[in-house]
Amino acid sequence: SLSRRALLRRLAAGASGMALLPIMSRLTRAAGAMNPRFVFIVEGNCFEPKTVLAPAVLTAINAASSNKVQTTDRWWYSSYGHSTPIVVPSTQFSMTTALPAISTMGLDSQTAVLFGLSSRICGGGHSAMHGALSSTRSLAGLPGGPTIDAALAAVPQVRQSVPYDAVRLGVSYNLGSRLNYGTCAYGPRQPAPLIVDPNAAYSTLFGLVGSAADVVSFNQRGNLLDFARQDVSASLSAFGGNSVERAKLESYLAALEAVTQRQTRLQSIKSQLMAVAPVSPATNPLYAHNKTLDNDPLSRFSAQLELATAALKGDLTRVVVVGSGTGSDFDMQYPTAQPTQNKGVTRHNLHHGSAADATYLATIHDVTRQQLTAIASMANALKNTPDPAGGTLLDSTVIVYVSDNGEQHHSTASEFPVVLIGGSALGLRTGGRTIVYPGVDTGGTGHRQLSNLWNTLGYLAGAAPYMLGKTRIDFDLFGAEGPGRVAPGPLSELTA
C-alpha cells in the first residue's frame, strides 16, 4: 500500500528511521483504516497564546523557567526555559479564555493545545500570507511553495474520487470581495483562492440542490463546459501550430474535462447532497439579511464553517480551509462583539490600543473565543456523524486552528499556538493534553517548528514522497527552512 511504501522509504534513511519504526508502523496502519480528512481554520493577524492557556499549564511553564510568565502576559516565547517538551496530561479547557466550549460539548479527550512551535521562515508581521501554511516566505504576495492543504489534497489516499481536491472558504473585511488569493497555494507563485462570499460558496458547493436559480446556474455551467470542450477538441483536430501551443490547448482540454467529470460526479451524489445541505442563504440567519449581519465577520465565519461541515458530511472533499481575515483581509470590525465604546474600531487599531484600553483587549480575545466556540460546534457535528468506514467523521478528521502570522499583532513568527481536535482513528494523540515545546530562542535542538506539525499530518495521511506539479513533496522536508530546520520528522508526542 501507499502507507507501507512511505514507511519503507523512511526506514531506508538509516538508523533515524529505525527509531521511528514503532511510531510509524502504528501510524500507517491507522491511516489505512479510515478516510483521512483535514480542516485548517486560520485566523488572520494572530490569535494570542493567552487565550488557550490553562492555569496548570502556566504553572508547568514557570516551573521550568527562571523568567516567569505573568498571568497578564499575552505571549511569552522568550520566557521558555525547558529543553524537552512539557506535557500537561489533562488540560482544564473550561478555565481558559477561549476553549470553554470544548468542555461544554464533551470534546476534551479529542483536543490538544500546542505551544512553542515557531516558523520564522515565513516572516510574521501583520500576516505571513501563504507562509504560515507552507513554511516558506511569501514575497510580494506570491507563495514560495505549496501550502499544506494542497499537499495533503493530492495524496491519493486523501484525494480518492471526491469531487473537490480541497474546499477553501474565508471571511474578508471587504464585502465586495469574492476571492482571497493571499492564504493558500498549489505551488510556487501559484496561489489558490478562498471563496470569501458565503453566498457564492453555497452556490458553488450546493447549487445543484439549492434554489431554482442555483440549479439553473449549475446546469448552465454544464452546458458551457460541453461547448468549451467541443470547441477545444475541434481546434486540436485542425491545429497545425508548434508543439508548445498544442500542449497549451491539450492542457486546457484536460482542465475542462476534469471540471466536467466533477459536474458529473456531483450529479451522481445529488441525493447525498440534499441530505446534508445547509439551510439556503435566502432564509439562513447566518447570511446577510440586514446591515448588522452583513457587516459581522463572525456570522460569516459561522456560515463558512457550516458549509465546510456539510462539504465533509456530503463527501464533497477531504480537505478544507477556512480563513478569517487572512492575508491582507484582516482589518475587520466586529459589531456583535465590540462594546459601545469601541464600536467601529478596526482590528488593526484594536491591537494597537489594546495595551492601554482593556475593552480593546477583551474584544480581541472574545473574537477568538467565539471562533473556537464555532469550531467546537463543527467538531461536535462531525462527532455525531457516522463515518461509512467506521467510527465518526471526527475520528478520521484532524481540525487545526492556527494563526497566519504567529502569536501577536506585529509578530516575529516566533510562536504559533495551535489547537488540534479529532483524528484519533488516524493515529493522532490529543487526549486533552497541552504540549509545550522548547522555545525558538532557548530550546536548542529540542525546539520544533510549524513544519514539523505539517509533517505529522503527512504521516497521518500515509503519504510517500510524490510530485505536485513541478514540486517534490516530501513531508519530512516540507517547507523551505533549509539550514534553519531544527529537526525533520513528525512530532512524536502527537502520535498514538
Side-chain angles (χ1 to χ4, degrees):
S1 70
L2 176 65
S3 299
R4 191 174 299 278
R5 288 199 302 273
L7 171 60
L8 292 175
R9 292 188 187 194
R10 290 340 188 253
L11 293 180
S16 61
M18 292 301 293
L20 287 172
L21 178 59
I23 296 170
M24 295 318 304
S25 62
R26 287 195 294 270
L27 275 178
T28 52
R29 284 199 303 270
M34 302 290 278
N35 296 318
R37 299 172 178 87
F38 300 93
V39 178
F40 300 92
I41 301 171
V42 188
E43 168 59 8
N45 191 227
C46 91
F47 85 86
E48 296 185 355
K50 177 181 175 63
T51 61
V52 293
L53 178 70
V57 179
L58 174 61
T59 299
I61 292 171
N62 282 338
S65 176
S66 58
N67 186 15
K68 305 301 182 186
V69 178
Q70 304 302 311
T71 56
T72 54
D73 289 343
R74 297 158 60 180
W75 51 83
W76 48 80
Y77 63 84
S78 61
S79 296
Y80 292 126
H82 54 293
S83 58
T84 57
I86 296 171
V87 179
V88 179
S90 182
T91 304
Q92 294 174 297
F93 296 116
S94 61
M95 298 183 71
T96 67
T97 299
L99 292 171
I102 293 295
S103 294
T104 301
M105 298 185 191
L107 297 166
D108 299 66
S109 65
Q110 299 183 71
T111 302
V113 173
L114 310 182
F115 291 118
L117 300 177
S118 71
S119 188
R120 284 181 172 170
I121 183 66
C122 74
H126 285 133
S127 170
M129 305 292 283
H130 316 84
L133 294 183
S134 67
S135 295
T136 68
R137 185 64 63 91
S138 183
L139 296 174
L142 294 173
T147 48
I148 183 63
D149 51 291
L152 288 170
V155 173
Q157 185 154 321
V158 178
R159 184 66 176 93
Q160 297 189 32
S161 61
V162 294
Y164 293 93
D165 61 333
V167 167
R168 299 177 177 93
L169 310 172
V171 178
S172 171
Y173 77 90
N174 183 355
L175 297 177
S177 293
R178 285 292 186 94
L179 301 172
N180 169 316
Y181 283 94
T183 306
C184 297
Y186 299 114
R189 305 177 70 86
Q190 294 179 289
L194 309 181
I195 304 175
V196 297
D197 178 348
N199 294 279
Y202 185 97
S203 177
T204 299
L205 296 174
F206 294 100
L208 176 61
V209 295
S211 67
D214 286 330
V215 174
V216 168
S217 178
F218 180 90
N219 291 332
Q220 286 176 340
R221 282 198 298 272
N223 293 335
L224 287 171
L225 285 167
D226 289 340
F227 175 80
R229 285 168 54 235
Q230 292 168 13
D231 189 51
V232 175
S233 296
S235 297
L236 275 171
S237 65
F239 187 73
N242 62 53
S243 59
V244 173
E245 293 302 316
R246 183 176 185 85
K248 290 180 181 178
L249 280 173
E250 289 172 342
S251 176
Y252 182 38
L253 180 60
L256 289 171
E257 288 176 341
V259 178
T260 300
Q261 289 172 7
R262 184 170 68 200
Q263 292 281 103
T264 302
R265 173 65 176 146
L266 290 171
Q267 288 279 12
S268 73
I269 59 172
K270 182 175 180 179
S271 60
Q272 185 174 312
L273 296 180
M274 290 181 69
V276 301
V279 176
S280 166
T283 55
N284 191 331
L286 293 175
Y287 292 83
H289 301 301
N290 57 59
K291 190 172 182 180
T292 299
L293 281 178
D294 192 46
N295 286 283
D296 181 20
L298 294 172
S299 290
R300 282 180 277 133
F301 178 73
S302 292
Q304 298 289 49
L305 282 186
E306 186 178 74
L307 280 172
T309 304
L312 291 169
K313 291 168 70 173
D315 214 21
L316 284 172
T317 188
R318 302 281 170 78
V319 178
V320 168
V321 180
V322 179
S324 176
T326 51
S328 57
D329 283 351
F330 68 88
D331 203 17
M332 296 186 286
Q333 301 174 37
Y334 305 96
T336 58
Q338 293 175 252
T340 301
Q341 58 266 46
N342 67 41
K343 280 193 184 300
V345 181
T346 64
R347 185 179 183 93
H348 184 271
N349 291 328
L350 284 171
H351 273 289
H352 277 282
S354 60
D357 191 321
T359 68
Y360 284 24
L361 181 59
T363 294
I364 293 167
H365 289 176
D366 190 49
V367 167
T368 303
R369 180 191 63 78
Q370 290 195 47
Q371 289 177 334
L372 280 162
T373 298
I375 292 166
S377 295
M378 177 190 202
N380 195 47
L382 296 177
K383 184 180 73 171
N384 291 321
T385 303
D387 187 332
T392 73
L393 286 187
L394 186 60
D395 296 333
S396 60
T397 302
V398 180
I399 300 174
V400 182
Y401 179 66
V402 66
S403 74
D404 78 340
N405 72 325
E407 77 294 329
Q408 58 183 298
H409 176 61
H410 290 156
S411 173
T412 59
S414 295
E415 178 164 11
F416 282 76
V418 176
V419 177
L420 297 173
I421 308 174
S424 60
L426 306 182
L428 182 66
R429 184 184 174 200
T430 50
R433 299 175 306 147
T434 293
I435 303 168
V436 187
Y437 290 93
V440 62
D441 295 321
T442 59
T445 58
H447 176 63
R448 292 295 179 267
Q449 294 158 304
L450 198 57
S451 58
N452 293 108
L453 176 59
W454 306 150
N455 175 228
T456 305
L457 301 185
Y459 274 100
L460 297 179
Y466 73 95
M467 294 301 296
L468 178 60
K470 296 181 179 180
T471 303
R472 185 175 188 271
I473 302 296
D474 181 344
F475 283 97
D476 275 337
L477 303 174
F478 186 81
E481 287 155 337
R485 190 182 303 276
V486 176
L491 299 170
S492 59
E493 295 77 19
L494 293 177
T495 56

